[in-house]
Amino acid sequence: MQTQLKLDKEKMSDHDYRPKSKVGQWFNDRLPLLTLANHLTDYPTPKNLNYWWTFGGILTFCLITQIVTGLTLAMHYIAHADMAFESVEHIMRDVNYGWLIRYIHANGASMFFLAVYIHIFRSLFYGSYKSPREIIWILGIIIYLLMMAAAFMGYVLPWGQMSFWGATVITNLFSAIPLVGEGIVTWLWGGYSVDNPTLTRFFTLHYLIPFLILGLVVLHIWALHVPGNNNPVGIDIKKPSKDTVPFHPYIVIKDGFALLMFMIVFAFFVFYAPNILGHADNYIEANPMVTPAHIVPEWYLLPFYAILRSVPDKLLGVVAMLSAILILAVLPWLDTSKIRSAVFRPLYKQFYWILVADVLILGYVGAMPAEGLYLLIARVATAYYFLHFLVILPVLGFKEKTLPVPLSITEPVLGGSPNLAAARNKESKIE
Amino acid sequence: MSEKKTKRRDFLFTATTAVGAVGAAAVVWPMIDQMNPDASVKALASTEVDVSSLTPGNTLTVLWRGKPVFIRRRTQEEIDEARSVKMEDLIHPEKDEDRAKNPEWLVMLGVCTHLGCVPLNDKGDYNGWFCPCHGSHYDTSGRIRKGPAPWNMEVPKYEFVDANTIKIG
């Protein structure tokens, strides 16, 4: 941690910034917005960041897209059980460009989750959650939880069959809580079933949550700017130094390029397959008398849904599903290895890819009926998911023989191949 | 920390905090309670159903408080099947005699006790109901026999107003 303190002192140069113009100085002395802008443009960034690091910027874009399209949809949507379904069709058919705004918003949710999953798995691969970045990571998990809440409530608003029954199933999860569960569910519903009071409060909360996320994103970035970015080599670096480049223009351009690529994928879904990620059942108006034959959540919640269904007990199933998410919050302390990047952890790298496969398998069986072979696979995959975090990661930190880590980012480049450089630094440690 | 004597100021401080906390709680409670079922929702407490057209072996589904209610006119075989089950075979032991006072008529909420889906009639391994959401099987008395649901389907308060009319609620 000694190095960390020194780094902070070097970063003090931020505060020495002074605007050139008199007006700028006058303003900045009263509200140092220009100092903030200067910090953001000059922010020293590791020069070896790869494209997996562009998803923070992409996620910011996703959030803003959802807020803007959401605001415009709210101008036409009617949050009432008798009119919601019709008002969505009104948006699709009558409102100028309503179809476009709605398709961007609906597919935007999927794109948001696609980006966040890449962002999370980037962290897992390069050990970005480790000291001193635990708070960034935990803030990220809270944002992820809020995203799931917002997405779920947003899905209820069109008041289709999947909206209604999805809402019924998810709110009923709370009934698993002993003693007070039923009371909580009635309170959530504002009645004895999902109905108009439920819809209006979900609309209110769906409107609120993105702004909570926005606030948390500010904290997330703030916490990031204290230690600075992790990087593919996973070592602490001096900032600013030969190992860093200023955020603007280097990272801005790289993020911008990645964002363009991402927008192509986004546009493909919006214009060519706007309903492929949804369910046809949601174009049938909510009917409390008939449950669709096969209730499935949106794709981004499927792994957790599979975990829920793999446990034959109601309360334990809910506990397992919540634990699967909350276990991520304590990940920085479950992973006992001091080496951050999987590049230098040959065993962890293999287990990482097994985990990726495990989560994909859970997602697949989550979409299938919970019976026979699917149920068996779901159970094995669920067990492995917890095994990875609770057993493999803690043990690996002690047992694994890690590869030698370079002292700086430039060293492997200037000193020839990484292996040569690594060989010379056999005794080097990360701190 | 050497002086442990409580001073007037400490007392005032504690008392003010306590009164403040009570005040805050008094303001928060209405904000929480406003989400509970309102008077208009509670007013829809009962409904009357004409069951004269129901023949044995058929189920009528009606909506009560936003939830489906199954009214099943059971056949003799179904009644026999329900009454011959041993209590130790049940996940949530309840006698069929207690669930259906009049054995021919089974009235219960058509809501799976797992996560609230509507189970399908005449399906499942026990000739009763089957929930398509997460695979819970119910018998001809609406009792949970297999799957993740923890309880039998709930029997609401109901009565026969006359021979052909059931009042639920």
Side-chain angles (χ1 to χ4, degrees):
Chain A
M1 287 301 93
Q2 201 70 19
T3 48
Q4 194 51 51
L5 282 172
K6 227 176 96 199
L7 287 176
D8 287 346
K9 269 193 196 125
E10 279 165 10
K11 271 183 56 197
M12 294 299 260
S13 59
D14 264 7
H15 299 272
D16 301 337
Y17 168 78
R18 206 152 163 68
K20 287 197 182 76
S21 74
K22 275 262 163 26
V23 180
Q25 286 174 15
W26 178 88
F27 184 86
N28 205 48
D29 285 344
R30 282 151 185 82
L31 180 67
L33 270 186
L34 294 168
T35 302
L36 179 67
N38 174 258
H39 163 79
L40 293 176
T41 49
D42 280 2
Y43 172 64
T45 323
K47 66 192 329 183
N48 61 340
L49 294 190
N50 56 33
Y51 275 108
W52 300 114
W53 259 266
T54 58
F55 283 86
I58 287 169
L59 283 161
T60 312
F61 164 80
C62 287
L63 178 59
I64 293 167
T65 304
Q66 291 307 89
I67 289 178
V68 171
T69 52
L71 274 170
T72 42
L73 285 173
M75 294 179 186
H76 305 281
Y77 170 78
I78 302 168
H80 189 285
D82 295 340
M83 288 178 271
F85 187 81
E86 235 173 278
S87 77
V88 171
E89 281 312 300
H90 160 73
I91 288 169
M92 292 302 288
R93 291 151 197 260
D94 303 338
V95 175
N96 300 333
Y97 294 103
W99 60 273
L100 178 65
I101 300 172
R102 175 164 174 264
Y103 278 155
I104 292 174
H105 195 72
N107 286 286
S110 281
M111 293 300 111
F112 207 153
F113 276 95
L114 175 66
V116 92
Y117 282 126
I118 296 173
H119 194 60
I120 291 171
F121 275 100
R122 193 286 321 274
S123 282
L124 292 178
F125 188 85
Y126 293 109
S128 300
Y129 49 85
K130 293 187 194 185
S131 173
R133 297 183 180 81
E134 301 95 322
I135 299 289
I136 312 173
W137 172 256
I138 291 169
L139 285 167
I141 300 297
I142 298 171
I143 292 170
Y144 174 51
L145 278 170
L146 283 176
M147 277 174 65
M148 288 198 274
F152 157 66
M153 290 194 222
Y155 196 58
V156 175
L157 303 185
W159 212 240
Q161 272 290 67
M162 278 295 171
S163 301
F164 183 89
W165 290 101
T168 300
V169 167
I170 300 295
T171 49
N172 260 306
L173 292 178
F174 291 90
S175 71
I177 303 168
L179 299 175
V180 291
E182 296 289 339
I184 290 176
V185 173
T186 304
W187 177 73
L188 287 173
W189 288 340
Y192 304 102
S193 62
V194 172
D195 210 330
N196 192 50
T198 326
L199 177 61
T200 49
R201 66 190 56 180
F202 275 21
F203 180 56
T204 311
L205 294 173
H206 181 70
Y207 208 123
L208 168 72
I209 291 174
F211 295 98
L212 296 181
I213 293 178
L214 192 63
L216 283 161
V217 166
V218 171
L219 293 182
H220 191 64
I221 295 171
W222 186 1
L224 168 69
H225 280 229
V226 175
N229 290 73
N230 183 31
N231 63 77
V233 185
I235 56 169
D236 287 327
I237 53 167
K238 279 190 187 156
K239 287 166 289 228
S241 72
K242 268 201 298 187
D243 281 346
T244 66
V245 289
F247 188 79
H248 183 75
Y250 296 95
I251 302 298
V252 169
I253 294 298
K254 187 161 185 158
D255 276 3
F257 179 70
L259 179 59
L260 272 176
M261 294 294 115
F262 185 80
M263 283 161 89
I264 291 173
V265 177
F266 199 143
F268 169 79
F269 281 107
V270 170
F271 292 106
Y272 292 95
N275 287 308
I276 203 166
L277 298 170
H279 298 285
D281 277 300
N282 223 28
Y283 283 101
I284 304 168
E285 192 169 1
N287 178 359
M289 302 280 267
V290 183
T291 307
H294 191 183
I295 294 192
V296 189
E298 292 290 80
W299 68 268
Y300 40 80
L301 300 175
L302 286 173
F304 301 110
Y305 193 61
I307 291 174
L308 168 77
R309 297 196 303 182
S310 72
V311 183
D313 181 85
K314 179 172 165 177
L315 177 60
L316 291 180
V318 175
V319 169
M321 184 180 71
L322 287 178
S323 312
I325 304 167
L326 295 178
I327 203 169
L328 294 171
V330 291
L331 176 61
W333 295 276
L334 289 173
D335 186 344
T336 50
S337 174
K338 285 251 185 321
I339 308 292
R340 292 197 190 103
S341 176
V343 172
F344 305 106
R345 300 184 61 191
L347 279 177
Y348 173 71
K349 198 195 267 180
Q350 290 174 30
F351 284 115
Y352 170 85
W353 288 112
I354 296 173
L355 179 72
V356 172
D358 189 61
V359 172
L360 290 175
I361 289 167
L362 278 172
Y364 174 73
V365 293
M368 295 293 136
E371 54 198 30
L373 188 61
Y374 294 124
L375 191 58
L376 182 71
I377 295 171
R379 285 183 176 154
V380 173
T382 298
Y384 183 80
Y385 181 90
F386 286 104
L387 193 76
H388 175 90
F389 289 106
L390 293 174
V391 180
I392 295 172
L393 280 189
V395 172
L396 216 51
F398 297 109
K399 295 279 175 206
E400 187 179 30
K401 259 201 180 149
T402 56
L403 302 175
V405 173
L407 282 176
S408 75
I409 291 170
T410 38
E411 188 209 34
V413 182
L414 299 176
S417 80
N419 284 340
L420 269 176
R424 261 193 285 114
N425 291 293
K426 229 172 209 162
E427 64 283 281
S428 71
K429 281 185 218 142
I430 190 156
E431 275 202 319
Chain B
M1 294 305 286
S2 55
E3 266 188 275
K4 280 191 101 182
K5 227 168 62 182
T6 315
K7 296 195 182 110
R8 277 163 59 92
R9 212 165 258 281
D10 295 331
F11 173 76
L12 277 175
F13 183 74
T14 311
T16 312
T17 310
V19 171
V22 171
V27 176
V28 167
W29 176 245
M31 301 298 151
I32 294 171
D33 193 42
Q34 55 83 23
M35 281 175 69
N36 271 318
D38 61 36
S40 72
V41 170
K42 284 180 180 161
L44 304 167
S46 71
T47 184
E48 289 194 7
V49 188
D50 178 11
V51 292
S52 54
S53 59
L54 205 57
T55 51
N58 281 302
T59 304
L60 185 69
T61 309
V62 295
L63 209 59
W64 173 65
R65 286 176 156 187
K67 282 178 177 166
V69 174
F70 292 154
I71 301 172
R72 174 83 175 178
R73 190 164 183 183
R74 298 191 295 184
T75 60
Q76 196 54 46
E77 293 146 48
E78 287 171 351
I79 298 167
D80 295 343
E81 197 180 328
R83 305 222 153 169
S84 62
V85 178
K86 286 189 214 128
M87 280 299 116
E88 52 266 34
D89 292 341
L90 294 173
I91 296 168
H92 175 193
E94 263 187 325
K95 278 191 188 150
D96 184 63
E97 286 83 344
D98 296 333
R99 291 177 58 80
K101 294 268 158 40
N102 179 346
E104 201 180 351
W105 297 92
L106 178 66
V107 179
M108 62 186 180
L109 292 185
V111 174
C112 180
T113 58
H114 181 226
L115 295 172
C117 295
V118 180
L120 303 169
N121 282 318
D122 304 315
K123 290 261 166 63
D125 298 354
Y126 296 88
N127 304 319
W129 285 265
F130 171 71
C131 182
C133 292
H134 306 98
S136 292
H137 300 254
Y138 296 87
D139 66 13
T140 55
S141 185
R143 294 173 296 198
I144 179 67
R145 301 301 293 273
K146 196 170 119 186
W151 306 296
N152 304 333
M153 281 192 264
E154 190 185 335
V155 176
K157 212 180 110 202
Y158 69 92
E159 58 182 0
F160 276 88
V161 182
D162 55 55
N164 290 325
T165 313
I166 296 178
K167 183 183 170 201
I168 305 164

